[in-house]
Amino acid sequence: MKKIARVIAALLCGVLLMSAIGMMHGCDDKKPTLKVWAANVDVEMTKGFVKDFLDKNPDFGYRITVATQGENEAATTLKNAPDDAADVVHIPHDQIGILTQGTGFIHEIPAESDAYKQIMAENTQSVIDVAGKDGKLYGFPTMTETYLLYYNKSMFDADDVKSFEKMFEKALTLNVGNDFAAFGLKYDDGFYAGMFNLATDNYLYKDNNVQNVSFATDEGVAAAEFIRDMNGVKRARHVATSSDAATQFKAGSLGSFVSGPWDKNAFEEALGDNFAVAALPTFTVTVNGEQKTFSPKAFLNAKLYVVNKATKDSRAAIKLAQYLSSKEVQLSRYAQKGYLPVNAELADDPAIAQDGFVQAVLGQMQNAIPQPNIAEMGNRWYKPQAGQGKFKVIFDNKDGVASDAAKIRAILTEMESYLKTGKEGDAAASSQSL
């Protein structure tokens, strides 16, 4: 009997061993898959977070893949093809409006869930507000961000970058070629280019009201004239991408550029010991004979994970999103990329608050406005008829289209009309005929 027992035990051990090997090599391949979308610059970092999650949750039951998807287009892509989209998607908060249209494209986070309670306990009310809509919570907040000025401190000192006028004056004294620009901006991107007009008495979808739009005021015209006049040798240039900016920083042909924390590592590498950051410089314009100085108003964003309504397993996707937005992961995001946590406890951490880069971001946040989270932001503002095109038209001033105040006012009036109605009407026709 003992011999038979030993044989049976050996056989069982063999079966268990083969089973274990099979699990190690084959079971993962047979598991269903959940997909996460991340910005290209964050894919590798996100893969690390996913690995940590799976290590801590060995019985999760899903393989997880991480794919690249531009965050600014994530909502539109998910909305247009939800069955092909990721289960867990990282977006700026202003895209909540697009994804909650009609019957919605993302899961509400149930009020009775642990995830809901965690979000409510760990975040400030302002963050909670932008993570939801109409009293419902949809997003798992991960970080807050705005943009600021990156600059070459061998060309400009901390006093120079307090105003555009000082920067442009200093640029004329630098021993640089005609290919040099003191300032670079994505003038065709409303996320950035609207900062001059919004610095004045103008506003965009104030209080999330689609009719609360103003650009064609006297102050707005003066700000647009400043954009037009920036164009020129040693002053400003349109820089299409952050990669282009990094290349130009490294070549010494660009003195400063506006972007957010997501570009910090690339610009540090490009500028080396000359890397520096600051809040956006002021600019001075003349309005009805009176000089006025304004500080550009950056957009303030919270970023968050949302769960695709078409996911095969909402509970699993919610569990994953909850981990990816956890305090632990937020701290790692900060350590790796300088992304500012939204977790209230981390935001008060002295080690984070005393970081020079974080201080610059926080300084700019004092003069930033939360992006409206209504659908019209994606459907109208980020279109060529508005923020994603008209400021570039003014900056280029091709064929004198922005050569005087009347023409600029017509462009801004056209923009106002489109932002309120979504239609190109009489204002557009009159502008095109100028």
Side-chain angles (χ1 to χ4, degrees):
M1 286 295 293
K2 290 183 179 180
K3 183 175 181 182
I4 293 173
R6 285 197 297 270
V7 170
I8 291 173
L11 287 172
L12 284 172
C13 287
V15 169
L16 289 171
L17 179 60
M18 292 304 294
S19 176
I21 293 171
M23 287 176 65
M24 290 168 52
H25 292 283
C27 288
D28 266 358
D29 294 335
K30 294 176 183 178
K31 285 181 180 179
T33 300
L34 287 182
K35 184 189 294 184
V36 177
W37 272 350
N40 183 54
V41 294
D42 293 335
V43 166
E44 292 307 314
M45 179 175 66
T46 305
K47 286 180 180 178
F49 299 150
V50 165
K51 181 181 182 302
D52 293 341
F53 172 78
L54 291 174
D55 287 345
K56 293 175 180 179
N57 297 275
D59 300 324
F60 183 60
Y62 287 91
R63 294 174 62 246
I64 303 173
T65 61
V66 181
T68 297
Q69 172 61 54
E71 291 171 343
N72 287 341
E73 301 83 32
T76 302
T77 306
L78 190 161
K79 178 181 174 182
N80 291 339
D83 290 335
D84 298 326
D87 302 272
V88 178
V89 180
H90 203 227
I91 62 168
H93 79 260
D94 61 288
Q95 296 188 15
I96 289 286
I98 294 175
L99 294 171
T100 54
Q101 284 181 304
T103 57
F105 299 89
I106 51 177
H107 270 286
E108 177 187 353
I109 302 170
E112 66 277 7
S113 67
D114 289 340
Y116 182 97
K117 294 170 185 174
Q118 178 179 313
I119 292 169
M120 300 300 286
E122 294 183 355
N123 293 278
T124 62
Q125 189 59 48
S126 59
V127 171
I128 292 168
D129 288 344
V130 300
K133 189 169 175 60
D134 299 329
K136 297 178 179 179
L137 186 64
Y138 293 96
F140 296 81
T142 59
M143 61 189 187
T144 185
E145 63 189 15
T146 188
Y147 44 86
L148 66 166
L149 188 77
Y150 290 91
Y151 68 97
N152 186 326
K153 66 181 181 183
S154 73
M155 298 174 176
F156 305 111
D157 61 30
D159 188 58
D160 294 329
V161 297
K162 289 181 179 178
S163 78
F164 280 103
E165 289 76 19
K166 286 183 178 180
M167 287 179 62
F168 294 152
E169 183 179 350
K170 179 69 171 290
L172 295 175
T173 70
L174 298 175
N175 184 21
V176 289
N178 285 339
D179 186 43
F180 175 78
F183 175 70
L185 184 71
K186 298 177 186 177
Y187 284 95
D188 62 353
D189 189 336
F191 183 63
Y192 304 98
M195 67 186 191
F196 296 102
N197 279 68
L198 294 174
T200 65
D201 60 346
N202 289 283
Y203 43 86
L204 172 67
Y205 298 143
K206 186 166 63 175
D207 301 323
N208 277 348
N209 186 328
V210 74
Q211 295 304 309
N212 280 350
V213 176
S214 175
F215 281 96
T217 63
D218 290 345
E219 285 81 1
V221 169
E225 287 177 323
F226 184 81
I227 293 173
R228 177 199 64 197
D229 294 341
M230 294 175 85
N231 198 347
V233 174
K234 295 187 181 179
R235 298 188 69 179
R237 75 158 61 103
H238 168 65
V239 180
T241 69
S242 296
S243 295
D244 291 338
T247 299
Q248 293 172 30
F249 269 145
K250 194 166 187 177
S253 62
L254 183 65
S256 66
F257 183 72
V258 174
S259 191
W262 50 90
D263 280 330
K264 176 177 178 280
N265 289 353
F267 293 162
E268 270 189 315
E269 183 179 346
L271 287 167
D273 292 340
N274 294 320
F275 173 85
V277 291
L280 297 171
T282 63
F283 66 101
T284 301
V285 295
T286 300
V287 184
N288 298 324
E290 179 185 356
Q291 278 202 330
K292 293 187 177 183
T293 298
F294 298 103
S295 296
K297 282 191 177 176
F299 276 127
L300 177 64
N301 253 329
K303 286 193 175 178
L304 33 87
Y305 284 105
V306 293
V307 172
N308 185 348
K309 219 173 187 179
T311 183
K312 59 181 72 70
D313 189 337
S314 61
R315 285 184 297 179
I318 285 174
K319 183 176 182 178
L320 175 59
Q322 185 178 1
Y323 176 79
L324 292 176
S325 61
S326 65
K327 174 183 173 181
E328 174 187 348
V329 173
Q330 287 188 37
L331 185 60
S332 184
R333 283 175 176 272
Y334 163 73
Q336 294 186 57
K337 299 263 183 140
Y339 294 156
L340 199 62
V342 289
N343 179 284
E345 184 180 337
L346 290 179
D348 292 335
D349 186 321
I352 296 176
Q354 292 170 15
D355 181 320
F357 180 81
V358 171
Q359 287 179 341
V361 175
L362 291 174
Q364 184 57 54
M365 283 183 176
Q366 300 305 308
N367 199 42
I369 52 176
Q371 280 208 76
N373 67 349
I374 59 177
E376 284 77 11
M377 282 297 290
N379 295 338
R380 297 179 191 176
W381 176 248
Y382 290 112
K383 297 291 182 183
Q385 298 92 327
Q388 210 74 353
K390 292 303 180 185
F391 295 115
K392 178 68 158 50
V393 169
I394 292 168
F395 177 77
D396 289 341
N397 194 21
K398 187 176 180 180
D399 299 326
V401 69
S403 59
D404 58 43
K407 291 184 177 182
I408 286 179
R409 195 181 298 273
I411 294 172
L412 297 177
T413 300
E414 172 189 354
M415 187 189 305
E416 281 184 4
S417 176
Y418 178 78
L419 288 167
K420 292 177 181 178
T421 67
K423 299 176 182 178
E424 296 181 77
D426 295 337
S430 63
S431 174
Q432 290 170 358
S433 65
L434 290 174

